[in-house]
Amino acid sequence: MSGGEQKPKRYYVGVDVGTGSVRAALVDQSGVLLAFADHPIEKWEPQFNHHEQSSEDIWAACCVVTKNLRETCWDKAGHFFDLPDFLSWKATGVTARSLCSLVCKWTYSAEKGWDDSFWKMVGLEDFVADNYSKIGNQVLPPGASLGNGLTPEAARDLGLLPGIAVAASLIDAHAGGLGVIGADVRGHGLVCEGQPVTSRLAVICGTSSCHMGISKDPIFVPGVWGPYFSAMVPGFWLNEGGQSVTGKLIDHMVQGHAAFPELQAKATARCQSIYAYLNSHLDLIKKAQPVGFLTVDLHVWPDFHGNRSPLADLTLKGMVTGLTLSQDLDDLAILYLATVQAIALGTRFIIEAMEAAGHSISTLFLCGGLSKNPLFVQMHADITGMPVVLSQEVESVLVGAAILGACASGDFASVQEAMAKMSKVGKVVFPRQQDKKYYDKKYQVFLKLVEHQMEYLAIMNDD
């Protein structure tokens, strides 16, 4: 399902335990019975007119009928796809799976393949049958050509020609990373120009953010997903950090403020987005100091929806310290700034964890909706102390997807060659080194916030 265009159907299991059997039915939301199963219950008569049944036997019968229902709403399924692989199948009729989808979401190992013990442990051992035909027994790296390209039917539906090459797909964030991380940076004064591509970190930032770093050898980073072999760039190991909410957090903080209606009205009057207006308003109130210094007394811990990386703690909550009774537009603008800084501080936290484990990162490559916000970009440069490269084409996910197609067509010898030729540097934003001491202090406070949150939790849980 994509884009929330259609609600998924929901089904319910009703179980009836009778004297002689257990019955179960699968029922949809409109009350229609879709499948039925029953199983007898054992009865014992140890002496005349004395009857016994076993609660364990009844539970076992309940399990049997429920499994039978699943195998009835379940056995009819020929294949289970992630969305990228489903779309590839619709385009080509080929059931091959993307290595990216399987290693990042399906517990598949690029080296060892499927792990039978896992499927048995979770009660899905039928996936192992028939050489994993339902979940994929042909797995292809990003950019590999699928079958004979577009089928006549798919070509007709898409308005294209049959036989056009179709590539093994990527997850959307990974396509964004592919679209930016391999750009030719010559002539931009970047330290990564003389370094391997492993010195680059792609940050795909929208509603949430993903931090994609690659390495020649596997690196295990606590709290960071991976390493996954060839999951984004063939031949390289991928580590994927992330922040659960970024763009969504900014929206939450801004829209929940008392001055938000005033902000909306003033932005509309100027034909600006609310964030363009806030950025200009911050420039007005900063006076002689750098804009980032407006948050000297206001600090935010951004994990309002738990921490994905590097703490991997879904119980963490958001924190704001330094609030006053002010509810005017200046107050809203400064809270917005502190939230943007908190997200950038979170990126620094992830980078430090990756570097402590063995990565060596010198340059950030940003894409996604938030990369269009100049304040968000500058804060990432200033707070991490690294230059930020923005792509010439803002829709980097689409460029990454097109790079896959270019490889599948045979126009490039490798994904790396296509990345270098098709990814273009648009703008480079350098950190303001004169502000480093200030942001180092902000980072110390940032780390103290989560330390204190842990202390509060320990106090409240102490008997």
Side-chain angles (χ1 to χ4, degrees):
M1 219 80 62
S2 76
E5 297 169 359
Q6 183 181 358
K7 286 187 177 180
K9 291 183 179 180
R10 298 178 68 84
Y11 303 95
Y12 313 93
V13 175
V15 179
D16 171 33
V17 179
T19 304
S21 67
V22 173
R23 307 182 310 144
L26 187 69
V27 183
D28 68 12
Q29 282 182 300
S30 60
V32 176
L33 192 151
L34 301 173
F36 171 86
D38 64 351
H39 191 78
I41 298 173
E42 288 289 337
K43 289 180 289 186
W44 290 269
E45 191 175 353
Q47 62 188 55
F48 176 73
N49 209 25
H50 189 99
H51 302 277
E52 291 182 358
Q53 289 185 305
S54 163
S55 54
E56 290 294 328
D57 180 61
I58 291 172
W59 172 248
C62 290
C63 296
V64 168
V65 293
T66 304
K67 284 184 177 178
N68 287 344
L69 281 181
R70 187 199 73 180
E71 290 166 1
T72 302
C73 183
W74 188 261
D75 282 351
K76 291 180 180 178
H79 299 278
F80 292 87
F81 293 111
D82 254 37
L83 180 59
D85 291 328
F86 168 77
L87 296 175
S88 298
W89 169 71
K90 286 289 287 183
T92 65
V94 175
T95 60
R97 305 307 203 276
S98 157
L99 181 65
C100 178
S101 292
L102 294 197
V103 299
C104 295
K105 295 189 176 183
W106 280 75
T107 74
Y108 184 87
S109 167
E111 296 177 301
K112 300 177 182 177
W114 292 113
D115 181 355
D116 294 3
S117 64
F118 170 77
W119 297 118
K120 292 174 183 175
M121 180 176 66
V122 299
L124 294 175
E125 56 271 16
D126 47 330
F127 276 172
V128 176
D130 196 21
N131 192 28
Y132 316 100
S133 62
K134 287 190 174 184
I135 56 174
N137 50 27
Q138 183 186 10
V139 184
L140 299 177
S145 183
L146 291 172
N148 297 316
L150 284 180
T151 63
E153 181 184 9
R156 184 171 61 251
D157 291 344
L158 294 168
L160 298 171
L161 296 175
I164 287 179
V166 177
S169 58
L170 286 175
I171 299 165
D172 53 357
H174 300 62
L178 192 75
V180 296
I181 203 169
D184 183 350
V185 298
R186 288 177 294 180
H188 292 277
L190 289 164
V191 65
C192 69
E193 179 179 333
Q195 296 177 339
V197 69
T198 53
S199 68
R200 307 177 182 193
L201 184 75
V203 185
I204 300 86
C205 38
T207 302
S208 59
S209 292
C210 293
H211 302 71
M212 307 290 197
I214 59 175
S215 58
K216 285 299 291 182
D217 298 307
I219 299 175
F220 291 85
V221 186
V224 172
W225 296 353
Y228 306 125
F229 185 65
S230 290
M232 186 173 80
V233 181
F236 288 85
W237 293 84
L238 171 70
N239 280 115
E240 180 185 341
Q243 293 163 292
S244 297
V245 285
T246 47
K248 182 67 175 176
L249 177 61
I250 296 170
D251 290 343
H252 174 79
M253 299 293 266
V254 170
Q255 294 172 12
H257 196 278
F260 180 63
E262 178 188 354
L263 169 63
Q264 277 187 308
K266 289 186 173 180
T268 300
R270 286 196 189 176
C271 299
Q272 287 183 306
S273 74
I274 58 172
Y275 296 115
Y277 186 91
L278 282 173
N279 291 348
S280 63
H281 190 78
L282 285 168
D283 284 334
L284 285 176
I285 63 176
K286 70 177 183 179
K287 299 179 182 176
Q289 63 183 346
V291 69
F293 286 43
L294 288 168
T295 61
V296 65
D297 296 319
L298 186 66
H299 310 283
V300 174
W301 178 263
D303 291 328
F304 284 47
H305 196 54
N307 181 280
R308 175 177 159 188
S309 299
L311 301 178
D313 187 345
L314 58 83
T315 68
L316 287 179
K317 305 294 190 295
M319 301 172 73
V320 182
T321 178
L323 295 173
T324 70
L325 288 177
S326 174
Q327 291 186 315
D328 61 16
L329 193 54
D330 288 2
D331 179 71
L332 169 53
I334 294 171
L335 181 62
Y336 155 69
L337 171 61
T339 305
V340 170
Q341 289 175 336
I343 293 167
L345 289 163
T347 292
R348 176 169 170 173
F349 196 20
I350 292 168
I351 290 171
E352 288 193 358
M354 294 178 72
E355 292 191 320
H359 282 276
S360 180
I361 297 165
S362 68
T363 311
L364 304 183
F365 287 70
L366 261 61
C367 66
L370 287 177
S371 70
K372 302 172 187 177
N373 183 332
L375 179 74
F376 185 89
V377 174
Q378 188 66 59
M379 287 299 104
H380 269 73
D382 293 347
I383 287 171
T384 64
M386 296 180 184
V388 174
V389 177
L390 300 175
S391 179
Q392 181 176 300
E393 301 295 339
V394 294
E395 300 293 350
S396 298
V397 172
L398 300 177
V399 172
I403 285 172
L404 299 176
C407 293
S409 70
D411 290 341
F412 295 97
S414 66
V415 169
Q416 288 89 330
E417 181 189 352
M419 287 163 56
K421 294 287 178 63
M422 296 178 66
S423 302
K424 298 285 192 299
V425 175
K427 182 180 180 182
V428 177
V429 177
F430 289 94
R432 292 175 290 209
Q433 296 296 346
Q434 64 271 26
D435 299 344
K436 181 180 186 302
K437 184 177 180 180
Y438 173 78
Y439 289 115
D440 285 347
K441 290 180 179 180
K442 287 283 290 185
Y443 187 57
Q444 289 180 46
V445 174
F446 180 79
L447 297 179
K448 282 288 186 184
L449 287 174
V450 71
E451 181 183 327
H452 291 166
Q453 184 173 157
M454 299 291 195
E455 291 175 3
Y456 306 153
L457 184 63
I459 292 169
M460 296 307 295
N461 288 338
D462 185 14
D463 294 333

